[in-house]
Amino acid sequence: MTSTDLFVSPLGRVEGDLDVRVTIEDGVVTSAWTEAAMFRGFEIILRGKDPQAGLIVTPRICGICGGSHLYKACYALDTAWKTHVPQNATLVRNIAQACETLQSIPRYFYALFAIDLVNKNYAKSPLYDEAVRRFAPYVGTSYQKGVVLSNKPVEVYAMFGGQWPHSSFMVPGGVMSAPSLVDVTRATAILNHWKDNWLEAEWLGCSVDRWLEIKTWEDMLAWVEENEAQYNSDCGFFIRYCLDVGLDKYGGGVGNYIASGTYFQPELYENPTVDGRNDALIGRSGVYADGKHFEYDHLRVAEDVTHSYFKGDRPLHPWEGETVPLDPASARQAGKYSWAKSPRYEVPGLGRVPLEAGPLARRIAAGNPDRLEHQDYDPLFMDILGKIGPSVFTRQMARMHEGPKYFKWVMDWLSQIDLHGSFYTKPEEPVSGKGYGGTEAARGFLSDWIVIEDGKIENYQVITPTAWNIGPRDAEEQLGPIEKALVGAPIVDMEDPVELGHVARSFDSCLVCTVHAYDGKTGRELNKFVVNGML
């Protein structure tokens, strides 16, 4: 048996730094450690500030999901202040955040994930030349069109929010915009242009409605073979290529999932409360663990810092959460190895367990048949999970499946706006209170908890989807979701471990750019990819 330790630093292609350490035995990853290498500290910045500071500060946490950060920060204050939110305002908030996600779907796929599909490891595939023609960075025919047209949905966000990214137009009690008929007409035209020229023409090769008829894994395979347009679409090719090179065989992870849910039914959330939140959601919340669905309860969330560079001796709910950083050099001696905390959820009968966040988690939550009439029900990925299991491929298809679905939702919300109605109700500003706001950023569960005392922020805690996924081991030594997903990954070329990138990037972890691989025993750099230079 041969055993090698690899340090990959950093592994992600988005902001922040993700380091990964893996042990490889006989060409297969047998253990993994994910290390967030950058301290954030937004919770410390917000302490003692005006309660509305979260509307300005938290959208700056991310340059990609700033609208999602604003959405949940606003609902955290809505619940703390017990505001009234007009139905029009809920529609506009839904539209804006969904457009941000629609932008992210093709941009993430072509610019961050699919460029690994042209790796030389796959040169023996009969589909390799076609993969290079489509997905090669900058010059690929699909890469160019997908990345360029991905900006269209956020043009709509900017029309409603004044700017994108880093807008703060969602405020407690509504939104600071009142779209005109011209705005709604223009938004409709922009989104139809995106749908006609990328979603249907390039990605699907069919209508949105035809794709959404797919309910099972067999339906999806039959759809690929149904006609030449679908077979040769980017989606049809991606399915065929993944099955050929084996991306459906590894990267499964913990197999348990969490979704905080997002997008509210306007008439059901005019007076936002934490208790009324689950029933008002369109994109559903939920927990799926040990093969069972559970109702999501934010009070069961806690953050463990056993292996994180933070002070603390027990898991804490975010309302009581602490962010007290330690010196990494000394903290390492106590077994700590990451700036990420480890979010855990107390599942009835199972204790605190790690859960995967993201599009696949949303699709699993949507597969729960126990629902209200207005809520999303989509059995496709429960079916796929049962028949081929979770994997890099399954996670990617869940992400791409949401493009057609969210497009339909946004067009419906645009049609419901009452141009003569109200978009804002001025709230009272109580000097104390607790609030919770959650949403689903493109990459998953995103929530804020706020405690207000004497008119100032007493405590503010943010849990991001990346924290759920890259969080390190906890007090029970349970691996985080990406750590678990890396175990079992085959490494074909030790000098170029692209499989590690496939697994980590399938979670779209919000961490950066250049990849270096080192032999853990000799310290010799095995390879280096200056990916940021290409982007």
Side-chain angles (χ1 to χ4, degrees), residues 147-160:
V147 171
V148 170
L149 288 174
S150 70
N151 72 340
K152 289 300 176 184
V154 288
E155 288 182 11
V156 175
Y157 190 111
M159 287 169 53
F160 287 88

Side-chain angles (χ1 to χ4, degrees), residues 242-317:
C242 284
L243 298 182
D244 185 64
V245 302
L247 292 186
D248 59 324
K249 303 300 184 188
Y250 64 93
V254 294
N256 298 322
Y257 305 92
I258 186 168
S260 55
T262 190
Y263 310 131
F264 293 103
Q265 187 71 12
E267 68 274 18
L268 299 180
Y269 216 49
E270 288 190 77
N271 299 290
T273 64
V274 176
D275 290 341
R277 183 177 180 278
N278 281 347
D279 285 350
L281 286 165
I282 299 170
R284 300 158 65 190
S285 62
V287 168
Y288 184 79
D290 198 26
K292 300 176 184 175
H293 288 282
F294 298 88
E295 184 178 11
Y296 169 64
D297 178 357
H298 83 98
L299 293 174
R300 292 181 177 275
V301 174
E303 291 187 292
D304 186 295
V305 295
T306 301
H307 290 287
S308 308
Y309 299 137
F310 294 100
K311 183 179 179 181
D313 56 7
R314 66 190 190 285
L316 293 174
H317 180 270

